[in-house]
Amino acid sequence: MIKSYKRILAAFSLSAALAVAGCGSAKPSESNGSMNTTESQVTDTSTAAKLKIKTSFYPMYEFTRQVAGDMADVENLVPAGVEPHDWEPTPQDMAGIADADVIVYNGAGMESWIDQVLDSVKDRDLKVIEASQGIEIMEGEGHSHSHDHGAEGEHSHEDEHAHDHGAEGEHSHEDEHAHDHGAEGEHSHEDEHAHDHGAEGEHSHEDEYAHDHGAEGEHSHEDEHAHDHGAEGGHHHDHGGLDPHVWLSPALAIQQVRNIEQGLAEADPDHKDAYKANADSYVSKLEALDQEFKEGLKDSKRKDFITQHAAFGYLAKEYGLTQVPIAGLSPDQEPSASQMAKIIEFAKENNVKTIFFETLVASNVAETIASEIGASTAVLNPIEGLTDEDISKQLDYIAIMRQNLQALQAALNE
């Protein structure tokens, strides 16, 4: 009811917010991190006005600023320390979006508010970049613990994952994303991102922990955007059953960067070569990170890990691991008593010694399970936003992903 009231209030305030957007710059939002340009980025030497870019939450901000370099002003919508699943734009945020040249968002249901906002500014000249476009979106796990786990996530993509990162995602979102989601879904993610997720599993947890992800990700973008626009305006914390956390696979993060590069080149063709150079530089770092994960996890003693939030399905699938989530896709989803009992039973039977929790969300559930089985807790960060401590330490996506790798290596080799 509170969410519904907030949405109604935002809708009434939107017209006034758009009226004041005008041609001037909106008040900057919290940037969720450093705006410094890296040494490898190409900078702007022209006197032309810079692009004004809004990004939905931290990974989109980080990827976008890496591609944009000094040729755009990049501002993040979700403030530092705020859990993005629960965030909704204010009228001021909407005015800032209306005044922007570009908006970059993840998609796949992560931003439950995006359709409402974009419908409100559809008559304005706004370039829309959906960073997950062309990526095979998985069905979420953990939203129900009565599923058959099958072989989800239990294989390596080293041989089959042939992401053509140069060409993938290189299309215009303006034509297909005109928020006519009927037309948008006229392609299959199976063709674009050919992960053959059939029976590639190294082992099955069907008997130990039952989730069924048989037909994961095999749907069109029509399904992806079906946010269940009921009376609540589509604010579904389970993301409509889809898993939006694609940025947690470095290989898929590369594809998101390429999508952003393509979108910025279309919005600002004069600087397309610079955007490509910046993207190439950052992609090389992500490729190195991907290789670190492959090498660091391939010989782990165990392949399953328990995490409080079902955010690591793409990471698990990419590197031959199995995520066993306590709760669902939304970190504020509370597990039932029976779900807790199943997790505890699984942990005892499989001698799990580490229960992962995350930043930005209370760790009570993870600590309760750890206490019950005599295990310890550790952070596995979904990088949905930076904390003040992260910012003070000048941590970024790559640095935090390396911390995640170290945490996984420790837990999987105990």
Side-chain angles (χ1 to χ4, degrees):
M1 184 62 70
I2 292 175
K3 292 286 184 186
S4 179
Y5 173 78
K6 287 171 63 181
R7 188 167 286 101
I8 293 169
L9 179 61
F12 275 115
S13 304
L14 177 59
S15 58
L18 295 178
V20 302
C23 298
S25 297
K27 182 179 179 181
S29 302
E30 187 83 37
S31 69
N32 255 356
S34 169
M35 293 283 288
N36 294 335
T37 303
T38 62
E39 292 180 4
S40 59
Q41 287 176 330
V42 177
T43 58
D44 183 21
T45 57
S46 73
T47 58
K50 294 181 178 182
L51 283 181
K52 289 183 288 187
I53 304 174
K54 294 287 186 178
T55 61
S56 57
F57 67 114
Y58 174 72
M60 301 303 101
Y61 165 79
E62 176 66 8
F63 299 164
T64 301
R65 78 176 187 90
Q66 291 289 343
V67 175
D70 194 41
M71 286 160 289
D73 292 323
V74 184
E75 295 177 354
N76 203 31
L77 289 166
V78 179
V82 174
E83 218 297 317
H85 291 82
D86 297 325
W87 183 87
E88 291 184 359
T90 65
Q92 290 78 14
D93 293 319
M94 290 181 171
I97 293 168
D99 192 40
D101 300 304
V102 179
I103 183 169
V104 181
Y105 73 106
N106 183 77
M110 180 66 189
E111 298 90 348
S112 60
W113 44 267
I114 192 68
D115 286 341
Q116 179 190 3
V117 169
L118 295 182
D119 285 345
S120 300
V121 298
K122 62 186 176 183
D123 295 329
R124 296 178 180 259
D125 187 16
L126 178 67
K127 173 66 179 176
V128 176
I129 302 173
E130 183 181 17
S132 66
Q133 183 73 25
I135 293 175
E136 185 179 343
I137 302 302
M138 301 193 314
E139 293 293 332
E141 64 177 302
H143 54 284
S144 171
H145 290 270
S146 61
H147 300 171
D148 180 2
H149 204 291
E152 189 276 329
E154 297 157 36
H155 65 279
S156 170
H157 283 241
E158 290 179 281
D159 298 325
E160 52 142 359
H161 193 27
H163 295 295
D164 181 5
H165 297 304
E168 279 186 352
E170 305 197 353
H171 61 280
S172 170
H173 223 320
E174 289 178 321
D175 295 329
E176 66 179 354
H177 198 302
H179 292 279
D180 178 3
H181 297 308
E184 181 182 351
E186 295 175 2
H187 64 280
S188 168
H189 287 292
E190 293 175 85
D191 297 329
E192 292 180 286
H193 194 66
H195 297 287
D196 182 7
H197 295 307
E200 294 167 349
E202 293 178 7
H203 62 285
S204 172
H205 283 279
E206 289 182 280
D207 300 325
E208 298 171 312
Y209 192 73
H211 303 287
D212 184 5
H213 296 288
E216 281 183 14
E218 298 180 2
H219 63 281
S220 75
H221 254 251
E222 284 182 57
D223 302 320
E224 232 172 277
H225 284 280
H227 296 309
D228 185 14
H229 295 294
E232 287 290 318
H235 191 80
H236 238 263
H237 274 199
D238 66 358
H239 310 291
L242 303 178
D243 186 349
H245 302 89
V246 295
W247 64 90
L248 288 168
S249 160
L252 298 183
I254 289 170
Q255 191 171 343
Q256 293 196 297
V257 169
R258 290 303 187 190
N259 285 342
I260 293 167
E261 175 209 335
Q262 181 68 18
L264 294 188
E266 291 166 1
D268 181 20
D270 290 344
H271 293 111
K272 65 179 182 179
D273 291 340
Y275 295 135
K276 184 179 187 306
N278 288 341
D280 288 348
S281 176
Y282 192 55
V283 163
S284 68
K285 297 175 183 178
L286 294 176
E287 288 173 339
L289 180 67
D290 179 36
Q291 191 61 34
E292 288 177 37
F293 269 80
K294 287 176 180 177
E295 293 297 322
L297 297 173
K298 68 179 181 179
D299 296 323
S300 300
K301 292 179 181 178
R302 62 183 308 123
K303 297 296 183 181
D304 46 46
F305 61 97
I306 295 178
T307 181
Q308 184 167 314
H309 173 198
F312 299 92
Y314 294 95
L315 183 152
K317 180 166 286 187
E318 196 70 44
Y319 304 111
L321 305 178
T322 300
Q323 170 187 238
V324 180
I326 300 170
L329 290 170
S330 178
D332 58 8
Q333 181 177 337
E334 290 289 337
S336 67
S338 63
Q339 289 167 349
M340 289 278 283
K342 287 179 181 178
I343 290 287
I344 290 170
E345 180 183 5
F346 175 88
K348 288 179 177 178
E349 289 179 355
N350 292 276
N351 196 29
V352 175
K353 297 179 181 179
T354 299
I355 307 296
F356 286 114
F357 67 97
E358 64 192 68
T359 57
L360 303 182
V361 178
S363 60
N364 301 19
V365 174
E367 290 173 353
T368 298
I369 292 175
S371 177
E372 177 72 22
I373 65 173
S376 59
T377 59
V379 171
L380 197 60
N381 194 335
I383 324 182
E384 293 176 346
L386 298 185
T387 65
D388 291 336
E389 182 180 358
D390 294 334
I391 294 171
S392 69
K393 292 181 178 179
Q394 297 187 319
L395 298 180
D396 59 11
Y397 170 85
I398 289 178
I400 295 173
M401 284 297 290
R402 287 195 171 113
Q403 290 180 343
N404 282 343
L405 174 58
Q406 292 169 1
L408 284 168
Q409 286 175 311
L412 298 176
N413 291 289
E414 289 178 314

